[in-house]
Every structure is written in structure tokens, then in C-alpha cells.
Amino acid sequence: MGMFDKLLANLKASRKIIVLTEGTDARILSAAARLLEEDLMDVILCGNVEDVKAAAAEGGFDISKATILDPLTYPEMDALVDQMVELRRGKQTPEECRDLLTKSNYFGTMLVKAGKADALLGGATYSTADTVRPALQIIKCKKGSNLVSSSFILFRTKDGEEEKIAMGDCAINLAYTDRLDQDGNVVLSAAQQLAEVAVETARTADYFGIDPKVAVLSFSTYGSGKGGTVQLSHDAVEEARKIDPDLVIDGEFQFDAAVSEEVAKTKCPDSKVAGKANTFIFPLIEAGNIGYKIAQRLGGFEAYGPILQGLNAPINDLSRGCVAEEVYKMAIITAGMA
């Protein structure tokens, strides 16, 4: 678990509290029991107390050290409702907020906002949208961020050496289009959005011990192709350099130019990234999602994520096809980033 060293050090230095929103799910309970047994963090499980305890007993999971909170009986619910009404600024009534807070995804997110927990992990049964929506409405984007994005950290051991790469965005942003104001003026271009994804993914990569060399991908290298995402990826490189002039980023690249030094010598010999890239930015979610799964299934990488970027607190999503081991590791990632 070399890539987890920094996260585990953080957890030892400062004890964290994580909310797991699906308290009756066997995978969640298995991971929670292990986290508690290893004394890595404090755990809040959301759900009916008796139902959670029964599910734990059925699976043989010791969650005696966990805190179980039921949104239907939570004693401080009135305060949470008031805080959410204020956060929503008239977009939802007190009754609507109270109704939303009966759902574990909203309830858990509000616990983080209220300072009752440091981080949240959900999505074992919820969709990604059901994890991200409360985060956007309650936790909101951090200062300087215009959108929430995601990245995957991929890890494998090859010939005795650890190899880590980062990929974004593979889970959140479907596509990038210009944001317009009421008069039709561009307030945030598609390229600026993709550039923000690139910068945030590079920061995530750096956090996991990757010295980011960022390749913005397309089906073209330095203008060899036209149409599609070529201009978007090219312009995103320029915009990313404005956000972070020290970022080592280049493109647009085809994937072979990004990773093969031989191809890079032919197509872009003067690039500091081509042939050496380890952080890959996809211009469309289809490409990103397919790309990381190819790396995972054919390349033998373990994939950790999606790690959400741009929020004020660590809120992370699970795949509904996850196993207990993934929940355990994603909990370490999520709490360790708090």
C-alpha cells in the first residue's frame, strides 16, 4: 500500500470522522468494521439503528465502535434543516429541506457541512448524481473553482516497481460547452472548464506522489487532425497554463504520442510531456470512462476513484459494482484528504 503512505500518515496525525451513507450495505459494513478494527478513523453509519445492527450481525461485522445515525430520529435535525434552508437561499422551503434530509445522501452531506464529520463516502447503492448533487448544493465549490470534476488514480506493480498514473475526468462532466450569461456572452468557455479539470487532476496526482506531466488528449497531435475535440483540447492547454504557469502540460496529443518516446520523437520532439505523460485529461466522458477501464482491465491497474475535485470538503463516490476492499481503500483516500 505504498501509495497510501501519505494518507495513512495524515490519519495518524489528525483523527478524522467519515460518514458512510449506506449503513445497511454488507460491503460498507465490512469496510467499516475493518477501519474500526485498525483504528484508522471514526465512522458514522447512516440508517435505522436496528436495521444497521441487524445487517452487521447477519454478516458477522463488528461495528460496535461505529456511530449509527438515523435521519428520522436525529435529535439535531431542526438545526440541520435551518442551516440547509440558509444554504439553499430560497431555492427550497423548510419542508422540502426536511424531506431531503430524511435521505442518507443529503443527511450525511449535511453532517459534513455542520462539522459533525470531516468527509463522506457514498454511492454503493446511490448513483453518482445522487452523491454529487447534495455536495454541490450543500458543500459547494471551493473558492476559485467553477465546476466539480473527478479523477482516478491508477496503480500497479510492474517488474517490482510501483507505477501510478492519473486520469480525469472519467465520471462527472459529460462534455464541455461554453457557459453563457442571459445576453449570450461567454462567461466560462469550454476550454477554460477542461483546463480547470486538468489543473485539479494534476493537483490530485501530486497529492498521491505523482510528479504530474499532463497530456490533454484528443485524436490529433499538434493539429494533425481537425474537428471534434481537437480545438477544445488545444485551447485547454493554453488556458491551463494561465491558471498555473508552473504546470507541466502539453497537447493536444494522441495517446501514443503522450506515452511512447519513439512516437513523441517523430510527432513532437520538443515537448516536455510527450512520451513521458503520467496524467491524462480526456475531452469527453466517453473517452475517459472507456480509457480508465481499459487500463484497469487490460493493463492490470487498480483504479481508485472517482475522486471528486473542486469541492470545499472531501466527498467521494463509489461504483455500485464496488467490493468491500474498494470501500475500505476509498474511505482511507477520502478521510486522508480531509
Side-chain angles (χ1 to χ4, degrees):
M1 288 179 64
M3 69 169 284
F4 286 87
D5 289 347
K6 182 175 181 178
L7 297 164
L8 291 168
N10 287 353
L11 293 174
K12 288 177 182 176
S14 176
R15 193 162 185 88
K16 303 300 181 186
I17 304 170
I18 192 167
V19 178
L20 302 175
T21 54
E22 294 123 319
T24 58
D25 187 282
R27 298 162 295 175
I28 299 294
L29 290 166
S30 175
R34 186 175 171 189
L35 293 165
L36 293 166
E37 181 186 3
E38 295 174 6
D39 200 30
L40 293 177
M41 63 192 74
D42 294 328
V43 175
I44 295 173
L45 295 167
C46 295
N48 175 274
V49 176
E50 295 308 316
D51 290 347
V52 172
K53 287 182 177 178
E58 182 179 344
F61 306 122
D62 180 5
I63 57 161
S64 56
K65 293 180 182 178
T67 300
I68 306 171
L69 295 181
D70 182 352
L72 298 179
T73 60
Y74 185 62
E76 299 177 47
M77 179 57 79
D78 289 346
L80 290 188
V81 171
D82 290 344
Q83 190 173 358
M84 185 172 172
V85 170
E86 186 176 337
L87 287 167
R88 297 300 290 142
R89 295 176 181 169
K91 292 178 182 176
Q92 283 162 324
T93 66
E95 292 75 20
E96 289 170 334
C97 288
R98 188 177 296 275
D99 181 60
L100 286 171
L101 287 169
T102 64
K103 300 173 175 65
S104 291
N105 55 337
Y106 274 91
F107 175 64
T109 305
M110 201 65 221
L111 291 176
V112 175
K113 182 64 177 179
K116 307 292 185 183
D118 301 295
L120 176 144
L121 181 62
T125 59
Y126 286 113
S127 69
T128 294
D130 285 336
T131 300
V132 173
R133 191 181 305 109
L136 281 172
Q137 293 176 349
I138 293 169
I139 301 298
K140 301 186 177 181
C141 288
K142 66 185 180 183
K143 187 176 181 181
S145 292
N146 296 292
L147 75 163
V148 174
S149 63
S150 74
S151 62
F152 280 82
I153 300 297
L154 293 101
F155 169 86
R156 71 179 176 186
T157 302
K158 188 175 182 181
D159 300 327
E161 297 288 324
E162 288 187 353
E163 185 179 353
K164 291 178 283 189
I165 58 175
M167 293 183 171
D169 179 344
C170 309
I172 302 297
N173 294 288
L174 297 179
Y176 303 91
T177 55
D178 293 346
R179 289 187 190 175
L180 308 177
D181 63 17
Q182 292 179 334
D183 299 320
N185 301 308
V186 177
V187 294
L188 188 70
S189 72
Q192 287 172 320
Q193 294 168 54
L194 186 58
E196 190 171 312
V197 173
V199 171
E200 289 292 336
T201 301
R203 289 171 180 167
T204 301
D206 180 66
Y207 190 85
F208 282 91
I210 300 168
D211 181 15
K213 295 178 179 62
V214 185
V216 182
L217 302 173
S218 187
F219 59 88
S220 161
T221 299
Y222 283 179
S224 63
K226 304 296 179 187
T229 60
V230 173
Q231 195 65 45
L232 168 65
S233 293
H234 173 272
D235 292 351
V237 172
E238 301 303 317
E239 294 295 338
R241 288 170 175 160
K242 294 176 187 176
I243 298 171
D244 184 355
D246 296 324
L247 184 64
V248 181
I249 187 170
D250 205 357
E252 86 287 0
F253 289 140
Q254 291 161 284
F255 190 78
D256 58 353
V259 298
S260 167
E261 292 191 22
E262 286 302 311
V263 175
K265 286 176 185 176
T266 302
K267 293 187 175 182
C268 32
D270 297 326
S271 173
K272 294 180 180 179
V273 173
K276 299 181 284 290
N278 56 24
T279 302
F280 304 96
I281 307 303
F282 296 91
L284 291 169
I285 195 171
E286 289 94 335
N289 196 268
I290 292 167
Y292 100 81
K293 288 183 182 290
I294 289 174
Q296 182 184 29
R297 300 298 176 182
L298 298 184
F301 281 90
E302 294 180 44
Y304 300 105
I307 297 165
L308 300 189
Q309 304 169 156
L311 291 166
N312 274 312
I315 307 288
N316 277 330
D317 182 40
L318 292 162
S319 164
R320 280 176 282 182
C322 67
V323 296
E325 178 74 10
E326 292 173 69
V327 179
Y328 167 78
K329 289 179 176 176
M330 280 299 294
I332 292 173
I333 287 171
T334 307
M337 295 182 78

